[in-house]
Amino acid sequence: MTETTVGIGGAAESTDMVLNIGPQHPSTHGVLRLRLVLDGERIRSAEPVIGYMHRGAEKLFEARDYRQIIMLANRHDWLSAFSNELGVVLAVERMLGMEVPERAVWTRTLLAELNRVLNHLMFLGSYPLELGGITPIFYAFREREDLQHVMEEVSGGRMHYMFNRVGGLKEDLPAGWLGRARQAVAEVRSRMDVYDELVLGNEIFRGRTRGVGVLARETVHAYGVSGPIARASGVDFDLRRDEPYLAYGELRDTLKVVVREEGDCLARFECLLEQTHNSLDLADACLDRIAELPPGPINQRLPKVLKAPEGHTYAWTENPLGLNGYYLVSKGDKTPYRLKLRSASYNNIQALTELLPGTLVADMVAILGSLFFVVGDIDK
């Protein structure tokens, strides 16, 4: 006699459930898919599936001249456009052996730090939103708008500034701009306690993030994780201090590298918040220095057709989300033979394969949001 049991709830105890998170997005500007294997409410394994918005930027670099590739590199991390441009022009200038005017060096540093604050404010507002707190996003956009005004005034763009040029910047600062930038920085700083009190002081937020998604220091090194996420796990590394570029070597007294040891979601948020405070201090220091500089050029005169000499170089920058690397190979033409881009989010998101297994499905959103990634920065 054969006995058959049909249907035990949703599945038998030995059956794993495969759950696809994504790919979808209400505005379709970029999607990430997570393939999760569940054992009840607990995640057994996680696989990030990327490439849904890959646009082949690295291949397009090979068909554009050194002025045009700035536009292509500008867009992969749409929250860090100025910093993206910066890495490309630094690589080309290194190939050319070019020194840029001091005024351009300090202005680039200032705009890079303002762009860092804009990037971090977006995550400081959107991360609590993902955990159910709607109020901080409104404050974040208010602060962002103050800084967007001064960035738009100087460059003409709200997101994709296109203000860097090989040899310096597009043009000099508008009359009176330094005063307006200083006022915007002061206004944003005066309201930053909102995040300390409203978010970090919220017991629900702390309950959802403390001890959740702990990223070990060994995993950071194994996966090449960088930026605030790595520093939240005790990895004390920041290119601005450890291999200074632009004017960061002269800002050592102001620059503070924020490090935490816990490695959880809360530590990552705290690193991001404290780093935002420090970037505002760095912006003030740059404004003071630029005001002291004598009048002078903001860029170098370039030939009508710009060609980099044959050879190769590697430039890297401390972008808002982590290390960005640019490996440039030239055959002496007006276009790169190869420009390989190492983006921060691409490496950071791989850590999900280590972070998610063993955690609850309910904690997945908290962990995913705490990696502070931009999908375009993954797919390039």
Side-chain angles (χ1 to χ4, degrees):
M1 182 177 177
T2 303
E3 185 175 316
T4 305
T5 305
V6 180
I8 306 176
E13 288 184 8
S14 60
T15 303
D16 293 325
M17 179 188 221
V18 177
L19 179 65
N20 278 291
I21 307 296
Q24 74 274 325
H25 193 286
S27 64
T28 67
H29 71 257
V31 290
L32 172 72
R33 175 185 166 205
L34 285 179
R35 185 180 181 276
L36 307 178
V37 178
L38 306 181
D39 182 5
E41 288 293 313
R42 208 160 286 277
I43 299 171
R44 287 188 55 189
S45 66
E47 177 191 2
V49 183
I50 65 173
Y52 288 96
M53 67 166 298
H54 178 62
R55 60 192 175 91
E58 289 181 2
K59 194 65 182 172
L60 290 171
F61 288 152
E62 300 169 17
R64 304 290 189 274
D65 67 32
Y66 287 106
R67 293 178 174 90
Q68 294 169 327
I69 61 174
I70 298 172
M71 180 274 294
L72 287 170
N74 174 291
R75 285 156 165 74
H76 58 90
D77 175 359
W78 44 76
L79 297 177
S80 311
F82 186 87
S83 302
N84 300 340
E85 303 168 11
L86 189 59
V88 173
V89 296
L90 288 176
V92 179
E93 288 163 3
R94 183 174 293 181
M95 287 286 285
L96 294 167
M98 179 183 289
E99 291 285 335
V100 302
E102 187 180 16
R103 191 172 183 81
V105 171
W106 280 96
T107 306
R108 280 177 172 178
T109 310
L110 166 63
L111 296 176
E113 289 307 312
L114 292 179
N115 193 196
R116 192 182 309 275
V117 175
L118 283 168
N119 174 289
H120 290 355
L121 281 171
M122 178 62 81
F123 291 111
L124 291 174
S126 65
Y127 184 49
L129 179 66
E130 291 165 3
L131 299 180
I134 192 171
T135 311
I137 192 73
F138 297 115
Y139 290 112
F141 270 93
R142 180 187 64 182
E143 270 64 270
R144 276 176 53 86
E145 201 60 34
D146 287 340
L147 296 177
Q148 287 284 180
H149 281 317
V150 294
M151 293 292 282
E152 185 177 6
E153 181 186 358
V154 75
S155 68
R158 281 183 62 83
M159 286 188 69
H160 303 298
Y161 306 109
M162 283 303 297
F163 198 55
N164 278 289
R165 296 291 186 272
V166 176
L169 295 167
K170 177 186 173 186
E171 56 196 9
D172 209 342
L173 304 172
W177 183 86
L178 289 176
R180 290 187 288 276
R182 192 184 299 276
Q183 182 180 357
V185 169
E187 287 178 357
V188 172
R189 180 187 285 108
S190 70
R191 299 194 290 250
M192 285 299 293
D193 60 340
V194 165
Y195 305 97
D196 294 305
E197 298 170 6
L198 187 67
V199 182
L200 287 181
N202 185 293
E203 61 184 57
I204 298 175
F205 179 84
R206 300 183 77 86
R208 290 289 306 275
T209 55
R210 183 190 285 141
V212 174
V214 177
L215 181 63
R217 187 180 307 189
E218 296 75 22
T219 307
V220 168
H221 292 308
Y223 284 85
V225 175
S226 60
I229 301 169
R231 292 191 284 274
S233 294
V235 178
D236 188 5
F237 181 73
D238 190 312
L239 272 182
R240 297 173 297 169
R241 180 199 62 194
D242 300 322
E243 194 173 312
Y245 58 100
L246 294 181
Y248 289 114
E250 299 182 48
L251 291 169
R252 283 193 175 91
D253 294 338
T254 308
L255 176 63
K256 179 183 178 184
V257 179
V258 184
V259 180
R260 294 286 187 277
E261 296 296 329
E262 296 84 358
D264 57 9
C265 296
L266 181 60
R268 292 190 277 275
F269 186 86
E270 288 177 341
C271 275
L272 206 70
L273 178 56
E274 199 168 332
Q275 189 169 286
T276 307
H277 285 285
N278 185 239
S279 288
L280 292 169
D281 295 337
L282 289 168
D284 268 340
C286 291
L287 286 165
D288 292 339
R289 183 72 172 110
I290 294 170
E292 296 170 358
L293 292 175
I298 199 80
N299 50 37
Q300 296 271 27
R301 287 186 65 85
L302 299 176
K304 188 173 182 180
V305 178
L306 180 64
K307 294 182 179 181
E310 188 169 351
H312 60 91
T313 190
Y314 185 78
W316 56 345
T317 60
E318 185 70 39
N319 261 42
L321 298 180
L323 297 181
N324 265 31
Y326 303 83
Y327 178 58
L328 173 63
V329 181
S330 171
K331 296 291 186 182
D333 298 322
K334 65 178 182 179
T335 61
Y337 176 76
R338 181 81 169 93
L339 178 54
K340 169 63 180 172
L341 171 62
R342 187 264 192 217
S343 60
S345 298
Y346 182 81
N347 284 70
N348 291 355
I349 205 67
Q350 294 180 81
L352 285 170
T353 58
E354 300 282 345
L355 271 177
L356 288 177
T359 63
L360 295 170
V361 175
D363 290 330
M364 182 209 49
V365 172
I367 297 169
L368 184 63
S370 72
L371 291 190
F372 310 128
F373 61 90
V374 170
V375 180
D377 202 41
I378 302 170
D379 287 346
K380 301 191 291 291

